[in-house]
Amino acid sequence: MRDILNYSLLSHNTFGIDAICDRFVEFSSEEELVSLVSSLTESDEPLLILGGGSNLLLTDDYHGTVIHSAIKGISLVENESTDESVVLRVGSGEVFDDFVTYCVEHGYYGAENLSIIPGEVGASAVQNIGAYGVEAKDLIVKVEAIEIASGKKVSFTNADCQYAYRQSRFKGEWRNQYIITYVSYKLATSFVPNLDYGNIRAALEEKGIYQPSAKDLRNIIIEIRNAKLPDPKVEGNAGSFFMNPIVSKEKYLQLAEEYPNMPHYYLDEQREKIPAGWMIDQCGWKGRTLGRVGVHSKQALVLVNRGGAKGQDIVLLCKAIQDDVYKRFGIHIEPEVNIR
């Protein structure tokens, strides 16, 4: 177990914010984590449970204790696997895209559309990450954790976690009550591609691929994402900064009359999802710079650190964009990123 005081979190957040935490602790096993939580005192508060830092904006130094999982490993849960599907138990400290790569290479299917989403496995169960018509909740069957107050091992079913769009009980009522150790995912053993979200099918057909393999699908999604998302090593960012708002059918119809070419995604008879990036672009923010931060030139959902930015610089940009979107569309867009 690593236990370091006055530790820089620069390498633990993709926005590239150089914030210092009072204490940084990294555990490599359930036993180490049980020992850690039993030793925590009031001086460790507030706690920050940190994954890969790809969905985090630090606005200042963190005067508390940061806890990070280094639990690794991917194993087959044999008694829960069948000819049609397998269950994989994955350490919370595994890089999520390494898990996706493992699945594609071993003939386990369903995670391909989540390729190269940054972050770690534990965070996938907290954030309910998603892309191209697939969400983590579609695959998760069990989440194992340690309860901070008692040090007890607990486990939760998918239903227990009450997943919704980029939400779970770990982000809400269970915040800082549990630290995730393992996540179990259910994958199919036969490949049925999910091609009908965004421009996946068109991008494949441009390459003459009409019956893609899982590797083909993964590669095209990597290509699409790399084309529109900046490399955090070049420009600090946390991927999509805002969630796509879900609006009532009435609100959607009102806007559709004014903007007949507005993109949208049907959810049900009462609700539609409108891309936040499109609204931000309509407000003229795409590619703009505000001091040391800005909006990416290829994807208006992405806020970037142009170099040397503070967390508060990004907060000010976020608020300016929210204000403009609300004034024009009457919709308040919420950050997907965890602002601390």
Coordinates of all heavy atoms in Angstrom, one line a residue, residues 181-268:
T181 N -14.3 -2.5 -5.1 CA -13.1 -3.4 -5.3 C -13.1 -4.2 -6.6 O -12.1 -4.4 -7.2 CB -13.0 -4.3 -4.1 OG1 -14.2 -5.0 -3.9 CG2 -12.6 -3.5 -2.8
Y182 N -14.3 -4.7 -6.9 CA -14.5 -5.5 -8.1 C -15.8 -5.2 -8.8 O -16.8 -4.9 -8.1 CB -14.4 -7.0 -7.8 CG -13.1 -7.5 -7.4 CD1 -12.8 -7.6 -6.0 CD2 -12.2 -7.9 -8.3 CE1 -11.5 -8.0 -5.6 CE2 -10.9 -8.4 -7.9 CZ -10.6 -8.4 -6.6 OH -9.4 -8.9 -6.2
V183 N -15.8 -5.3 -10.1 CA -17.1 -5.1 -10.9 C -17.2 -6.4 -11.8 O -16.2 -6.8 -12.4 CB -17.1 -3.9 -11.8 CG1 -18.4 -3.7 -12.5 CG2 -16.8 -2.6 -10.9
S184 N -18.4 -7.0 -11.8 CA -18.6 -8.2 -12.6 C -19.5 -7.8 -13.8 O -20.5 -7.1 -13.6 CB -19.2 -9.3 -11.8 OG -18.3 -9.8 -10.9
Y185 N -19.1 -8.1 -15.0 CA -19.8 -7.8 -16.2 C -20.2 -9.1 -16.9 O -19.5 -10.0 -17.0 CB -18.9 -7.0 -17.2 CG -18.3 -5.8 -16.6 CD1 -17.0 -5.8 -16.0 CD2 -18.9 -4.5 -16.8 CE1 -16.4 -4.7 -15.6 CE2 -18.3 -3.4 -16.3 CZ -17.0 -3.4 -15.7 OH -16.4 -2.3 -15.2
K186 N -21.4 -9.0 -17.6 CA -21.9 -10.1 -18.3 C -21.8 -9.8 -19.8 O -22.3 -8.8 -20.3 CB -23.4 -10.4 -18.0 CG -24.0 -11.7 -18.7 CD -25.4 -11.9 -18.2 CE -26.0 -13.2 -18.8 NZ -27.4 -13.4 -18.3
L187 N -21.0 -10.7 -20.5 CA -20.8 -10.5 -22.0 C -21.3 -11.7 -22.7 O -21.4 -12.8 -22.2 CB -19.3 -10.4 -22.2 CG -18.4 -9.2 -21.8 CD1 -19.1 -7.9 -22.2 CD2 -18.2 -9.2 -20.3
A188 N -21.7 -11.4 -24.0 CA -22.3 -12.5 -24.9 C -21.1 -13.3 -25.5 O -20.0 -12.7 -25.7 CB -23.2 -11.9 -25.9
T189 N -21.4 -14.5 -25.9 CA -20.4 -15.3 -26.6 C -20.6 -15.3 -28.1 O -19.8 -15.8 -28.8 CB -20.3 -16.8 -26.1 OG1 -21.7 -17.3 -26.1 CG2 -19.8 -16.8 -24.6
S190 N -21.7 -14.7 -28.5 CA -21.9 -14.5 -30.0 C -22.0 -13.0 -30.2 O -22.6 -12.3 -29.4 CB -23.1 -15.2 -30.5 OG -24.0 -15.5 -29.6
F191 N -21.5 -12.6 -31.3 CA -21.4 -11.2 -31.7 C -22.6 -10.7 -32.4 O -22.9 -11.2 -33.5 CB -20.1 -10.9 -32.5 CG -19.9 -9.5 -32.9 CD1 -19.9 -8.5 -31.9 CD2 -19.7 -9.2 -34.2 CE1 -19.6 -7.2 -32.3 CE2 -19.5 -7.9 -34.6 CZ -19.5 -6.9 -33.6
V192 N -23.3 -9.7 -31.8 CA -24.4 -9.0 -32.5 C -24.0 -7.5 -32.5 O -24.2 -6.9 -31.4 CB -25.7 -9.2 -31.8 CG1 -26.8 -8.5 -32.6 CG2 -26.0 -10.7 -31.8
P193 N -23.5 -6.9 -33.6 CA -23.0 -5.6 -33.5 C -24.1 -4.5 -33.3 O -25.3 -4.7 -33.8 CB -22.4 -5.4 -34.9 CG -23.0 -6.4 -35.8 CD -23.4 -7.5 -34.9
N194 N -23.8 -3.5 -32.5 CA -24.7 -2.4 -32.3 C -24.2 -1.2 -33.2 O -23.2 -0.5 -32.8 CB -24.7 -2.0 -30.8 CG -25.7 -0.9 -30.4 OD1 -26.1 -0.2 -31.3 ND2 -26.1 -0.9 -29.2
L195 N -24.8 -1.0 -34.3 CA -24.3 0.0 -35.3 C -25.2 1.2 -35.5 O -24.8 2.1 -36.3 CB -24.1 -0.7 -36.6 CG -23.3 -2.0 -36.7 CD1 -23.3 -2.6 -38.1 CD2 -21.9 -1.8 -36.2
D196 N -26.3 1.3 -34.8 CA -27.3 2.3 -35.2 C -27.2 3.6 -34.4 O -28.3 4.3 -34.3 CB -28.7 1.7 -35.2 CG -28.8 0.6 -36.2 OD1 -28.3 0.8 -37.3 OD2 -29.5 -0.4 -36.0
Y197 N -26.1 3.9 -33.8 CA -26.0 5.1 -33.0 C -24.9 6.0 -33.7 O -23.8 5.5 -34.0 CB -25.6 4.8 -31.6 CG -25.9 6.0 -30.6 CD1 -27.0 6.0 -29.9 CD2 -24.9 7.0 -30.5 CE1 -27.2 7.1 -29.0 CE2 -25.1 8.1 -29.7 CZ -26.3 8.1 -28.9 OH -26.5 9.1 -28.0
G198 N -25.2 7.3 -33.9 CA -24.2 8.1 -34.5 C -23.8 7.7 -35.9 O -24.7 7.2 -36.7
N199 N -22.6 7.8 -36.3 CA -22.2 7.5 -37.7 C -21.4 6.3 -37.8 O -20.6 6.1 -38.7 CB -21.4 8.7 -38.2 CG -20.1 9.0 -37.4 OD1 -20.0 8.6 -36.2 ND2 -19.1 9.6 -38.0
I200 N -21.6 5.3 -36.9 CA -20.8 4.1 -36.9 C -21.0 3.3 -38.2 O -20.0 2.9 -38.9 CB -21.2 3.1 -35.7 CG1 -20.9 3.8 -34.4 CG2 -20.5 1.8 -35.9 CD1 -21.4 3.0 -33.2
R201 N -22.3 3.1 -38.6 CA -22.5 2.3 -39.8 C -21.9 3.0 -41.0 O -21.3 2.3 -41.9 CB -24.0 2.1 -40.0 CG -24.4 1.1 -41.1 CD -25.9 1.0 -41.2 NE -26.5 0.4 -40.0 CZ -26.6 -0.9 -39.7 NH1 -26.1 -1.8 -40.6 NH2 -27.3 -1.3 -38.6
A202 N -22.1 4.3 -41.1 CA -21.6 5.0 -42.3 C -20.1 4.9 -42.4 O -19.5 4.8 -43.5 CB -22.1 6.5 -42.3
A203 N -19.4 5.1 -41.2 CA -18.0 5.0 -41.2 C -17.5 3.7 -41.6 O -16.4 3.6 -42.3 CB -17.5 5.4 -39.8
L204 N -18.1 2.6 -41.2 CA -17.8 1.2 -41.6 C -17.9 1.1 -43.1 O -17.1 0.5 -43.8 CB -18.6 0.2 -40.8 CG -18.2 0.0 -39.4 CD1 -19.3 -0.8 -38.7 CD2 -16.9 -0.8 -39.3
E205 N -19.1 1.5 -43.6 CA -19.4 1.3 -45.0 C -18.4 2.1 -45.9 O -18.1 1.7 -47.0 CB -20.8 1.7 -45.3 CG -21.8 0.7 -44.7 CD -23.3 1.1 -44.9 OE1 -23.5 2.2 -45.5 OE2 -24.1 0.3 -44.5
E206 N -17.9 3.2 -45.4 CA -16.9 4.0 -46.2 C -15.7 3.2 -46.4 O -14.9 3.4 -47.3 CB -16.5 5.3 -45.4 CG -17.5 6.4 -45.6 CD -17.1 7.7 -44.9 OE1 -15.9 7.8 -44.5 OE2 -17.9 8.6 -44.7
K207 N -15.4 2.3 -45.5 CA -14.2 1.4 -45.6 C -14.6 0.1 -46.3 O -13.8 -0.9 -46.4 CB -13.7 1.1 -44.2 CG -13.1 2.3 -43.5 CD -12.5 1.9 -42.2 CE -11.8 3.2 -41.5 NZ -10.6 3.6 -42.2
G208 N -15.8 0.0 -46.8 CA -16.3 -1.3 -47.4 C -16.6 -2.4 -46.5 O -16.6 -3.6 -46.9
I209 N -16.8 -2.1 -45.2 CA -17.1 -3.1 -44.2 C -18.6 -3.1 -44.0 O -19.2 -2.2 -43.4 CB -16.4 -2.9 -42.9 CG1 -14.9 -2.8 -43.2 CG2 -16.7 -3.9 -41.9 CD1 -14.0 -2.4 -42.0
Y210 N -19.3 -4.2 -44.4 CA -20.8 -4.3 -44.2 C -21.2 -5.3 -43.2 O -22.3 -5.3 -42.7 CB -21.4 -4.6 -45.6 CG -21.2 -3.5 -46.6 CD1 -20.1 -3.6 -47.5 CD2 -22.0 -2.4 -46.7 CE1 -19.9 -2.5 -48.4 CE2 -21.8 -1.4 -47.6 CZ -20.7 -1.4 -48.4 OH -20.5 -0.4 -49.3
Q211 N -20.3 -6.2 -42.9 CA -20.5 -7.2 -41.8 C -19.3 -7.2 -40.9 O -18.5 -8.1 -41.0 CB -20.8 -8.6 -42.4 CG -22.1 -8.7 -43.2 CD -22.3 -10.1 -43.7 OE1 -21.4 -10.7 -44.3 NE2 -23.5 -10.6 -43.5
P212 N -19.2 -6.2 -40.0 CA -18.0 -6.0 -39.2 C -17.9 -7.1 -38.1 O -18.9 -7.7 -37.6 CB -18.3 -4.7 -38.5 CG -19.8 -4.6 -38.5 CD -20.3 -5.2 -39.7
S213 N -16.6 -7.4 -37.9 CA -16.3 -8.2 -36.7 C -16.2 -7.3 -35.5 O -16.3 -6.1 -35.6 CB -14.9 -8.9 -36.9 OG -13.9 -7.9 -36.9
A214 N -16.1 -7.9 -34.3 CA -16.0 -7.0 -33.1 C -14.7 -6.2 -33.2 O -14.8 -5.0 -32.7 CB -16.0 -7.9 -31.9
K215 N -13.7 -6.7 -33.7 CA -12.4 -5.9 -33.9 C -12.6 -4.8 -34.8 O -12.2 -3.7 -34.6 CB -11.3 -6.8 -34.3 CG -9.9 -6.2 -34.3 CD -8.8 -7.1 -34.7 CE -7.5 -6.4 -34.6 NZ -6.4 -7.4 -34.9
D216 N -13.4 -5.0 -35.9 CA -13.7 -3.9 -36.9 C -14.5 -2.8 -36.2 O -14.2 -1.6 -36.4 CB -14.5 -4.5 -38.0 CG -13.8 -5.4 -39.0 OD1 -12.6 -5.2 -39.1 OD2 -14.4 -6.3 -39.6
L217 N -15.5 -3.2 -35.4 CA -16.3 -2.2 -34.7 C -15.5 -1.5 -33.7 O -15.6 -0.2 -33.6 CB -17.5 -2.9 -34.0 CG -18.4 -2.1 -33.2 CD1 -19.0 -0.9 -34.0 CD2 -19.6 -2.9 -32.7
R218 N -14.7 -2.2 -32.9 CA -13.8 -1.5 -32.0 C -12.9 -0.5 -32.7 O -12.7 0.7 -32.2 CB -13.0 -2.5 -31.2 CG -11.9 -1.8 -30.3 CD -11.3 -2.9 -29.3 NE -10.0 -2.4 -28.8 CZ -9.9 -1.5 -27.8 NH1 -11.0 -1.0 -27.2 NH2 -8.7 -1.1 -27.3
N219 N -12.3 -0.9 -33.7 CA -11.3 0.0 -34.5 C -12.0 1.2 -35.0 O -11.4 2.3 -35.0 CB -10.6 -0.8 -35.6 CG -9.6 -1.8 -35.1 OD1 -9.2 -1.7 -33.9 ND2 -9.3 -2.8 -35.9
I220 N -13.2 1.1 -35.5 CA -13.9 2.2 -36.1 C -14.3 3.2 -35.0 O -14.3 4.4 -35.2 CB -15.1 1.8 -37.0 CG1 -15.3 2.9 -38.1 CG2 -16.3 1.6 -36.2 CD1 -14.3 3.0 -39.1
I221 N -14.7 2.7 -33.9 CA -15.1 3.6 -32.8 C -13.8 4.3 -32.3 O -13.9 5.5 -32.0 CB -15.8 2.8 -31.7 CG1 -17.2 2.4 -32.1 CG2 -15.8 3.6 -30.4 CD1 -18.0 1.6 -31.2
I222 N -12.7 3.6 -32.2 CA -11.5 4.3 -31.8 C -11.1 5.4 -32.8 O -10.8 6.5 -32.4 CB -10.3 3.3 -31.7 CG1 -10.5 2.3 -30.5 CG2 -9.0 4.0 -31.6 CD1 -9.6 1.2 -30.4
E223 N -11.3 5.1 -34.1 CA -11.0 6.1 -35.1 C -11.9 7.3 -35.0 O -11.5 8.4 -35.1 CB -11.2 5.4 -36.5 CG -10.6 6.2 -37.6 CD -10.7 5.4 -38.9 OE1 -10.1 4.3 -39.0 OE2 -11.4 5.9 -39.9
I224 N -13.2 7.0 -34.8 CA -14.2 8.1 -34.7 C -13.9 9.0 -33.5 O -13.8 10.2 -33.6 CB -15.6 7.6 -34.6 CG1 -16.0 6.9 -35.9 CG2 -16.6 8.7 -34.2 CD1 -17.3 6.1 -35.8
R225 N -13.6 8.4 -32.3 CA -13.4 9.1 -31.1 C -12.1 9.9 -31.2 O -12.0 11.1 -30.8 CB -13.4 8.2 -29.9 CG -14.7 7.7 -29.5 CD -14.7 6.8 -28.3 NE -14.2 7.5 -27.1 CZ -15.0 8.1 -26.2 NH1 -16.3 8.1 -26.4 NH2 -14.5 8.7 -25.2
N226 N -11.0 9.3 -31.7 CA -9.7 10.0 -31.9 C -9.8 11.2 -32.8 O -9.1 12.2 -32.6 CB -8.7 9.0 -32.3 CG -8.2 8.1 -31.2 OD1 -8.3 8.4 -30.0 ND2 -7.6 7.0 -31.6
A227 N -10.7 11.1 -33.8 CA -10.9 12.2 -34.8 C -11.5 13.4 -34.1 O -11.3 14.6 -34.6 CB -11.7 11.7 -36.0
K228 N -12.3 13.2 -33.1 CA -13.0 14.4 -32.6 C -12.7 14.7 -31.1 O -13.2 15.8 -30.6 CB -14.5 14.2 -32.7 CG -15.1 13.1 -31.9 CD -16.6 13.0 -32.2 CE -17.3 11.9 -31.3 NZ -18.7 11.8 -31.5
L229 N -11.9 13.9 -30.5 CA -11.6 14.2 -29.1 C -10.1 14.4 -28.9 O -9.3 13.7 -29.5 CB -12.0 13.0 -28.2 CG -13.5 12.7 -28.1 CD1 -13.7 11.4 -27.3 CD2 -14.2 13.9 -27.5
P230 N -9.7 15.5 -28.2 CA -8.3 15.8 -28.1 C -7.5 14.8 -27.1 O -8.1 14.3 -26.2 CB -8.3 17.2 -27.5 CG -9.6 17.3 -26.7 CD -10.6 16.4 -27.5
D231 N -6.3 14.6 -27.4 CA -5.4 13.8 -26.5 C -5.1 14.6 -25.2 O -4.6 15.7 -25.3 CB -4.1 13.5 -27.3 CG -3.2 12.6 -26.5 OD1 -3.4 12.4 -25.3 OD2 -2.2 12.1 -27.1
P232 N -5.5 14.1 -24.1 CA -5.3 14.8 -22.8 C -3.8 15.1 -22.6 O -3.5 16.1 -21.8 CB -5.8 13.8 -21.7 CG -6.7 12.9 -22.4 CD -6.2 12.8 -23.8
K233 N -2.9 14.4 -23.2 CA -1.5 14.6 -23.0 C -1.1 15.9 -23.8 O 0.0 16.5 -23.5 CB -0.6 13.5 -23.5 CG -0.8 12.2 -22.8 CD 0.1 11.1 -23.3 CE -0.1 9.8 -22.6 NZ -1.4 9.2 -22.8
V234 N -1.9 16.3 -24.8 CA -1.6 17.5 -25.5 C -2.4 18.7 -25.0 O -1.9 19.8 -24.8 CB -1.9 17.3 -27.0 CG1 -1.7 18.6 -27.8 CG2 -1.1 16.1 -27.6
E235 N -3.8 18.5 -24.9 CA -4.7 19.5 -24.3 C -5.5 18.8 -23.2 O -6.2 17.9 -23.5 CB -5.6 20.0 -25.3 CG -5.0 21.1 -26.2 CD -6.1 21.8 -27.1 OE1 -6.8 21.1 -27.7 OE2 -6.1 23.0 -27.1
G236 N -5.3 19.2 -21.9 CA -6.0 18.6 -20.8 C -7.5 18.7 -21.0 O -8.0 19.7 -21.4
N237 N -8.2 17.6 -20.8 CA -9.6 17.6 -20.9 C -10.2 16.4 -20.2 O -9.4 15.4 -19.8 CB -10.0 17.6 -22.4 CG -9.8 16.3 -23.1 OD1 -10.6 15.4 -23.1 ND2 -8.6 16.1 -23.6
A238 N -11.5 16.4 -20.0 CA -12.2 15.2 -19.4 C -13.2 14.6 -20.3 O -14.2 14.1 -19.8 CB -12.8 15.6 -18.0
G239 N -12.9 14.7 -21.6 CA -13.9 14.2 -22.5 C -15.2 15.0 -22.5 O -15.1 16.2 -22.4
S240 N -16.3 14.4 -22.7 CA -17.6 15.2 -22.7 C -17.8 15.8 -21.3 O -17.9 15.1 -20.3 CB -18.7 14.3 -23.0 OG -18.6 13.7 -24.3
F241 N -17.8 17.2 -21.3 CA -18.0 17.9 -20.1 C -19.4 17.9 -19.6 O -19.7 17.9 -18.4 CB -17.4 19.3 -20.2 CG -17.2 20.0 -18.9 CD1 -16.0 19.9 -18.2 CD2 -18.2 20.7 -18.3 CE1 -15.8 20.6 -17.0 CE2 -18.1 21.4 -17.1 CZ -16.9 21.3 -16.5
F242 N -20.3 18.0 -20.6 CA -21.8 18.2 -20.2 C -22.5 16.9 -20.6 O -22.2 16.2 -21.6 CB -22.4 19.4 -21.0 CG -21.8 20.7 -20.6 CD1 -20.8 21.3 -21.4 CD2 -22.2 21.3 -19.4 CE1 -20.3 22.5 -21.0 CE2 -21.7 22.6 -19.1 CZ -20.7 23.2 -19.9
M243 N -23.6 16.6 -19.9 CA -24.5 15.6 -20.2 C -25.5 16.1 -21.2 O -25.9 17.3 -21.2 CB -25.3 15.1 -19.0 CG -24.5 14.4 -17.9 SD -25.4 13.7 -16.6 CE -25.8 15.2 -15.6
N244 N -26.0 15.2 -22.1 CA -27.0 15.6 -23.0 C -28.4 15.7 -22.3 O -28.8 14.7 -21.6 CB -27.1 14.5 -24.1 CG -25.9 14.5 -25.1 OD1 -25.4 15.6 -25.4 ND2 -25.5 13.3 -25.5
P245 N -29.0 16.8 -22.3 CA -30.3 17.0 -21.5 C -31.4 16.2 -22.1 O -31.6 16.0 -23.3 CB -30.5 18.5 -21.7 CG -29.9 18.9 -22.9 CD -28.7 18.0 -23.1
I246 N -32.2 15.7 -21.2 CA -33.5 15.0 -21.5 C -34.6 15.9 -21.3 O -34.7 16.5 -20.2 CB -33.6 13.7 -20.7 CG1 -32.5 12.7 -21.0 CG2 -35.0 13.0 -20.9 CD1 -32.4 11.5 -20.1
V247 N -35.4 16.2 -22.3 CA -36.5 17.2 -22.2 C -37.8 16.5 -22.5 O -37.9 15.4 -23.0 CB -36.3 18.3 -23.2 CG1 -34.9 19.0 -22.9 CG2 -36.3 17.9 -24.6
S248 N -38.9 17.2 -22.1 CA -40.2 16.7 -22.3 C -40.5 16.8 -23.8 O -39.9 17.5 -24.6 CB -41.3 17.6 -21.6 OG -41.3 18.9 -22.1
K249 N -41.5 16.0 -24.2 CA -41.9 16.0 -25.6 C -42.4 17.4 -26.0 O -42.1 17.9 -27.1 CB -43.0 14.9 -25.8 CG -43.5 14.8 -27.3 CD -42.4 14.2 -28.2 CE -42.3 12.7 -27.9 NZ -41.3 12.0 -28.8
E250 N -43.1 18.0 -25.1 CA -43.6 19.4 -25.4 C -42.5 20.4 -25.7 O -42.5 21.1 -26.6 CB -44.4 19.9 -24.2 CG -45.0 21.3 -24.4 CD -45.8 21.7 -23.1 OE1 -45.7 21.0 -22.1 OE2 -46.5 22.7 -23.2
K251 N -41.4 20.3 -24.8 CA -40.3 21.2 -25.0 C -39.6 20.9 -26.3 O -39.2 21.8 -27.1 CB -39.3 21.0 -23.8 CG -38.1 21.9 -23.9 CD -38.4 23.4 -23.9 CE -37.2 24.3 -23.9 NZ -37.5 25.7 -23.9
Y252 N -39.4 19.6 -26.6 CA -38.8 19.2 -27.9 C -39.5 19.7 -29.1 O -38.9 20.3 -30.0 CB -38.7 17.7 -27.9 CG -38.5 17.2 -29.4 CD1 -37.3 17.4 -30.0 CD2 -39.5 16.6 -30.0 CE1 -37.1 17.0 -31.4 CE2 -39.4 16.1 -31.3 CZ -38.2 16.4 -32.0 OH -38.0 16.0 -33.3
L253 N -40.9 19.6 -29.1 CA -41.7 20.0 -30.2 C -41.6 21.5 -30.4 O -41.6 22.0 -31.5 CB -43.1 19.6 -30.0 CG -43.4 18.0 -30.1 CD1 -44.8 17.7 -29.8 CD2 -43.0 17.5 -31.5
Q254 N -41.5 22.2 -29.3 CA -41.4 23.7 -29.3 C -40.1 24.1 -30.0 O -40.1 24.9 -30.9 CB -41.4 24.3 -27.9 CG -41.1 25.7 -27.8 CD -40.7 26.1 -26.4 OE1 -41.1 25.5 -25.4 NE2 -39.8 27.1 -26.3
L255 N -39.0 23.4 -29.6 CA -37.7 23.7 -30.2 C -37.6 23.2 -31.7 O -37.0 23.9 -32.5 CB -36.6 23.1 -29.4 CG -36.3 23.7 -28.0 CD1 -35.3 22.9 -27.2 CD2 -35.8 25.2 -28.2
A256 N -38.2 22.1 -32.0 CA -38.1 21.5 -33.3 C -38.8 22.4 -34.3 O -38.4 22.5 -35.5 CB -38.8 20.1 -33.3
E257 N -39.8 23.1 -33.9 CA -40.5 24.1 -34.8 C -39.6 25.2 -35.1 O -39.6 25.7 -36.3 CB -41.8 24.6 -34.1 CG -42.7 25.4 -35.0 CD -44.0 25.8 -34.4 OE1 -44.4 25.1 -33.4 OE2 -44.7 26.7 -34.9
E258 N -38.8 25.7 -34.1 CA -37.9 26.8 -34.4 C -36.6 26.3 -35.1 O -36.0 27.0 -35.9 CB -37.5 27.5 -33.1 CG -36.7 28.7 -33.2 CD -36.5 29.4 -31.9 OE1 -37.1 29.0 -30.8 OE2 -35.7 30.4 -31.9
Y259 N -36.2 25.1 -34.8 CA -34.9 24.5 -35.3 C -35.3 23.2 -36.0 O -35.0 22.1 -35.4 CB -33.9 24.3 -34.2 CG -33.5 25.6 -33.5 CD1 -34.1 25.8 -32.2 CD2 -32.6 26.5 -34.0 CE1 -33.8 27.0 -31.5 CE2 -32.3 27.6 -33.2 CZ -32.9 27.9 -32.0 OH -32.6 29.0 -31.3
P260 N -35.8 23.2 -37.2 CA -36.3 21.9 -37.8 C -35.1 20.9 -38.1 O -35.4 19.7 -38.2 CB -36.9 22.4 -39.1 CG -36.4 23.8 -39.4 CD -36.1 24.4 -38.0
N261 N -33.9 21.4 -38.1 CA -32.8 20.4 -38.4 C -32.1 20.0 -37.1 O -31.0 19.5 -37.1 CB -31.8 21.1 -39.3 CG -32.3 21.3 -40.7 OD1 -33.1 20.5 -41.2 ND2 -32.0 22.4 -41.3
M262 N -32.7 20.3 -35.9 CA -32.1 20.0 -34.6 C -32.0 18.5 -34.5 O -32.9 17.7 -34.6 CB -32.9 20.6 -33.5 CG -32.4 20.2 -32.1 SD -33.5 21.0 -30.8 CE -35.0 20.0 -31.1
P263 N -30.8 18.0 -34.2 CA -30.6 16.5 -33.9 C -31.3 16.2 -32.6 O -31.4 17.0 -31.7 CB -29.1 16.3 -33.8 CG -28.6 17.6 -33.5 CD -29.5 18.7 -34.1
H264 N -31.8 14.9 -32.5 CA -32.4 14.5 -31.2 C -32.4 13.0 -31.2 O -32.3 12.3 -32.2 CB -33.9 15.1 -31.1 CG -34.7 14.6 -32.3 ND1 -35.6 13.5 -32.1 CD2 -34.8 15.0 -33.6 CE1 -36.3 13.3 -33.2 NE2 -35.8 14.2 -34.2
Y265 N -32.7 12.4 -30.0 CA -32.7 11.0 -29.8 C -34.0 10.7 -29.1 O -34.2 11.1 -27.9 CB -31.5 10.5 -29.1 CG -30.2 10.8 -29.8 CD1 -29.4 11.8 -29.3 CD2 -29.8 10.1 -30.9 CE1 -28.2 12.1 -30.0 CE2 -28.6 10.4 -31.5 CZ -27.8 11.4 -31.1 OH -26.7 11.7 -31.7
Y266 N -34.9 9.9 -29.7 CA -36.1 9.5 -29.1 C -35.9 8.5 -27.9 O -35.1 7.6 -28.0 CB -37.0 8.7 -30.1 CG -38.2 8.1 -29.6 CD1 -39.4 8.9 -29.5 CD2 -38.3 6.8 -29.2 CE1 -40.6 8.3 -29.0 CE2 -39.4 6.2 -28.7 CZ -40.6 6.9 -28.6 OH -41.7 6.3 -28.1
L267 N -36.5 8.8 -26.8 CA -36.4 8.0 -25.6 C -37.7 7.2 -25.4 O -37.7 6.0 -25.2 CB -36.0 8.8 -24.4 CG -34.6 9.5 -24.4 CD1 -34.4 10.3 -23.1 CD2 -33.5 8.5 -24.6
D268 N -38.8 7.9 -25.3 CA -40.1 7.3 -25.2 C -41.1 8.4 -25.6 O -40.8 9.4 -26.0 CB -40.3 6.8 -23.7 CG -40.1 7.8 -22.7 OD1 -40.5 9.0 -22.8 OD2 -39.5 7.5 -21.6

